Amino acid sequence: MLFGYICSVPLTPVPAMITTGQKITTQRTAKSRLQETDLEHIKFGRVFSDHMVVMDYTNGAWQQPAIMPFGNLQMSPAALVLHYSQTIFEGLKAYRNVNGGVSLIRPQANIARMNHSTHRMCMPSIPEDVFMDAMMELVRLDSDWIPKDDDAALYIRPFMFASDEYIGVRPSDSYRFIIFTCPVRAYYNEPVRVKIETNISRAFPGGTGEAKCGGNYAGALYPAKLGMDGGFHQLLWTDGLTHKYFEESGTMNVFFNVDGTLITPGLDGTILHGITRDSIIRIAKDEGIRVEERQVSVEEIEVAARNGRLRSAFGAGTAATIAHIQSIAFGDAVYELPDVSTRELANRIGKKLDDIRRGRIADPYGWVVPVI
Ligand code: COI
């Protein structure tokens, strides 16, 4: 066994084949860190709640999942993931609703997407019911970590990595699946300034662009850093073949409001199948807004920006929610977009999505999954 936890749990999980409906074993933390955490002043991704789910894949089967105190991992320096990045992740949120309950939004979509990523990255898929049960139980256990106010939530981070102690290049035989959570507020604290990237590529047809795998993000760090050094929050990726068409932004999908029509790059295999993206499209259509999912050329948006038809643009993602775009740099030309208060369309869709999440209006889509 390669991995153990630097906390008081057995280093070797009990080998047992998973049968659905089994109770997840839970070892509670001896001392919660909640009392010493200031939930009102948390920064995104820096504060972690008390527990995590851990489940190992060994001998060709998923073993019994366990909930245990959040703690460090101990691993071999030869663990495959550390060398060849066979690792994937997901991101979703638990929201406190107006009745004091807690809900997840479309968790089945995240589970399905994770299993899509497992397929592309040659990893074993995760039994959906086991994933869902473990995640619900974890959120229930750490629900006091969800801040009470409306602009906060509990971010849930499921991930999985190759754990074989081996440095030959091949798919791992063993994996570890973990879910931990963190109370969060906004990912971006202000409207974002983005730069169109036309030199370095994030993805290519047939590549891993639509998988939520660590390598996609690692490869983006260098150009993103160059962008940040230039005063931009994020890049707007263009296609790897011609650099003429928009793909997505670093942490989110992207939407343009041109003359009241919402335009977003289609799912062509190189961009993430954003669940927030999909929710926005559904709501927008039901609000009578014209939506176009298709190839969106840089030229088209640049012309629209130049002649005042680009009314707004925004990014959409679990972490970012709806992130207004303040300005877009097309090479040396920077276009400032209208003030946030005029972004009626994005604000209207964002409010409806939030009202559904918070239980302020009925959920017509069947997206809300109550946890408590
Ligand atoms: C999310 O929005 O949940 C993501 O996974 C983006 C992440 C890189 C912060």
Side-chain angles (χ1 to χ4, degrees):
M1 185 66 204
L2 301 174
F3 295 83
Y5 290 91
I6 304 173
C7 59
S8 53
V9 292
L11 296 188
T12 312
V14 182
M17 292 285 288
I18 280 185
T19 58
T20 55
Q22 264 179 310
K23 194 161 166 27
I24 300 153
T25 59
T26 300
Q27 188 213 348
R28 284 171 176 264
T29 180
K31 187 174 180 329
S32 170
R33 287 173 282 104
L34 185 56
Q35 299 314 318
E36 64 218 36
T37 306
D38 179 1
L39 286 182
E40 286 191 9
H41 298 99
I42 36 175
K43 293 212 168 96
F44 186 95
R46 299 271 183 202
V47 175
F48 307 99
S49 47
D50 282 328
H51 298 93
M52 61 183 180
V53 169
V54 178
M55 182 167 75
D56 285 323
Y57 182 88
T58 51
N59 303 321
W62 285 107
Q63 311 298 314
Q64 180 74 32
I67 292 181
M68 56 185 67
F70 179 87
N72 291 344
L73 308 179
Q74 201 178 63
M75 62 202 310
S76 165
L80 270 175
V81 64
L82 298 179
H83 304 269
Y84 311 121
S85 297
Q86 199 189 6
T87 177
I88 57 171
F89 68 96
E90 268 302 320
L92 65 161
K93 282 177 178 167
Y95 298 89
R96 208 172 270 291
N97 62 38
V98 285
N99 304 315
V102 171
S103 317
L104 305 180
I105 306 296
R106 310 184 71 182
Q108 303 90 339
N110 289 90
I111 293 173
R113 190 171 65 181
M114 183 124 181
N115 275 336
H116 187 72
S117 300
T118 60
H119 182 70
R120 180 61 183 86
M121 299 302 289
C122 205
M123 299 164 106
S125 61
I126 304 154
E128 294 176 7
D129 51 350
V130 176
F131 191 152
M132 181 72 96
D133 289 352
M135 183 160 63
M136 300 270 270
E137 193 143 337
L138 181 70
V139 172
R140 242 176 253 130
L141 185 63
D142 280 343
S143 62
D144 287 347
W145 283 84
I146 309 177
K148 301 255 178 316
D149 43 326
D150 255 14
D151 60 347
L154 190 73
Y155 185 84
I156 305 169
R157 171 50 63 87
F159 69 108
M160 176 176 163
F161 57 87
S163 55
D164 273 11
E165 185 175 36
Y166 178 58
I167 58 162
V169 180
R170 60 142 173 80
S172 189
D173 286 330
S174 58
Y175 296 88
R176 178 154 280 189
F177 171 67
I178 296 181
I179 312 174
F180 64 78
T181 67
C182 24
V184 292
R185 292 173 186 282
Y187 190 81
Y188 296 109
N189 293 315
E190 53 185 347
V192 292
R193 293 183 299 282
V194 296
K195 177 192 154 200
I196 301 173
E197 178 59 59
T198 52
N199 291 313
I200 296 177
S201 306
R202 175 189 168 274
F204 292 91
T208 58
E210 71 176 19
K212 210 158 167 60
C213 60
N216 285 346
Y217 295 78
L221 294 176
Y222 170 64
K225 166 84 169 61
L226 296 181
M228 278 182 208
D229 290 348
F232 300 99
H233 293 98
Q234 265 304 342
L235 302 178
L236 272 182
W237 293 106
T238 52
D239 71 282
L241 292 180
T242 68
H243 292 297
K244 286 186 180 160
Y245 299 98
F246 285 111
E247 299 237 301
E248 61 172 69
S249 190
T251 50
M252 44 199 189
N253 295 107
V254 64
F255 287 84
F256 303 97
N257 171 1
V258 178
D259 282 339
T261 296
L262 208 48
I263 305 174
T264 192
L267 302 175
D268 63 353
T270 56
I271 70 172
L272 194 75
H273 290 215
I275 296 160
T276 308
R277 172 191 181 279
D278 188 69
S279 303
I280 287 171
I281 292 172
R282 291 279 297 279
I283 291 175
K285 286 183 176 167
D286 288 353
E287 290 281 299
I289 296 162
R290 188 182 158 92
V291 181
E292 294 177 7
E293 287 181 76
R294 58 168 171 80
Q295 274 198 325
V296 188
S297 74
V298 174
E299 189 187 2
E300 167 186 1
I301 297 302
E302 186 170 9
V303 169
R306 241 189 287 125
N307 61 26
R309 293 170 49 238
L310 179 63
R311 295 189 196 160
S312 66
F314 60 90
T318 302
T321 59
I322 288 185
H324 292 291
I325 294 178
Q326 177 68 52
S327 61
I328 306 179
F330 298 83
D332 290 335
V334 177
Y335 290 89
E336 294 294 329
L337 294 175
D339 184 73
V340 171
S341 58
T342 64
R343 294 175 179 164
E344 192 273 327
L345 186 142
N347 289 341
R348 180 153 49 109
I349 298 169
K351 179 169 180 332
K352 185 155 182 199
L353 184 53
D354 211 47
D355 284 346
I356 293 172
R357 287 171 179 146
R358 303 283 173 182
R360 285 189 290 262
I361 59 173
D363 166 20
Y365 306 108
W367 290 343
V368 174
V369 174
V371 180
I372 296 175

